[in-house]
Amino acid sequence: HVLSANFFDDLSTVKHYLPISSQSLSEITSDGNSGVDYIAPCNFRVLSVQAKFTSLSGNGDLTIGVESSDIAASPTSKSVVETEAVSVTSTDDNKVIHFLFDNAAVTAGQNMSLSIQASADVTGSSNVFVSVVLEMDWATRFTQSSAVIAS
């Protein structure tokens, strides 16, 4: 499965969240809102994230984080599942920046969000094109009768 998370922003060094719901194409610096959370329909793993920046203006590290919160927990109370960092330079405009995860697993019913943060101010205002590759285990989807699920 693939999620698109394109946006336009100057990251600076502030932690941002990728807009995986497609409700927003601009910066989102707060977690747990309708623009950045994805409720897991089944168990899945984030395999990789690919990003392309149209304007890189400095050198530093970009870090993508997979974060999750449990069923019945506030979506703003996330735990970091895994992070991956890639070093970029000002000459990496329009190159694909590939983040490969080892075992970024999320369980059915959890909220998942993806954060991005730069170690230095590596971007000006830039279009950022992002694809998130997931491996879904549809055998773990909820199949019981309609109900409130608390755990």
Side-chain angles (χ1 to χ4, degrees), residues 12 19-20 22 28 39 45 50 54-55 59 67-68 71 95 116-117 123 133 138 149:
S12 65
I20 56 179
S22 74
I28 301 173
I39 187 167
R45 291 184 320 126
Q50 289 76 41
T54 59
S55 177
N59 304 336
E67 303 180 12
S68 68
I71 296 174
K95 295 178 183 174
I116 185 168
Q117 190 166 16
T123 69
V133 180
W138 290 109
I149 300 171

Side-chain angles (χ1 to χ4, degrees), residues 4-9 19 22-28 126-128:
S4 180
N6 301 340
F7 64 99
F8 177 81
D9 195 16
S22 74
Q23 288 184 351
S24 174
L25 297 177
S26 60
E27 68 177 74
I28 301 173
S126 177
N127 286 311
V128 185

Side-chain angles (χ1 to χ4, degrees), residues 13 15 25 28 45 48 63-64 67 74 80 85-86 89 102 110-111 115 123 128 136 141 148:
T13 58
K15 186 178 194 178
L25 297 177
I28 301 173
R45 291 184 320 126
S48 63
T63 300
I64 299 276
E67 303 180 12
S74 169
V80 175
V86 174
T89 68
D102 295 321
Q110 288 185 319
N111 278 42
S115 62
T123 69
V128 185
M136 310 292 262
R141 73 192 188 285
V148 173

Side-chain angles (χ1 to χ4, degrees), residues 72-151:
S74 169
T76 60
S77 297
K78 297 246 182 17
S79 298
V80 175
V81 177
E82 186 177 342
T83 61
E84 286 294 325
V86 174
S87 296
V88 297
T89 68
S90 60
T91 61
D92 290 331
D93 289 352
N94 297 306
K95 295 178 183 174
V96 174
I97 304 165
H98 175 65
F99 301 86
L100 180 65
F101 292 91
D102 295 321
N103 191 24
V106 179
T107 303
Q110 288 185 319
N111 278 42
M112 187 266 306
S113 61
L114 299 165
S115 62
I116 185 168
Q117 190 166 16
S119 63
D121 191 2
V122 298
T123 69
S125 292
S126 177
N127 286 311
V128 185
F129 305 101
V130 181
S131 291
V132 181
V133 180
L134 307 175
E135 179 181 63
M136 310 292 262
D137 179 2
W138 290 109
T140 61
R141 73 192 188 285
F142 297 123
T143 58
Q144 68 270 32
S145 299
S146 299
V148 173
I149 300 171
S151 63

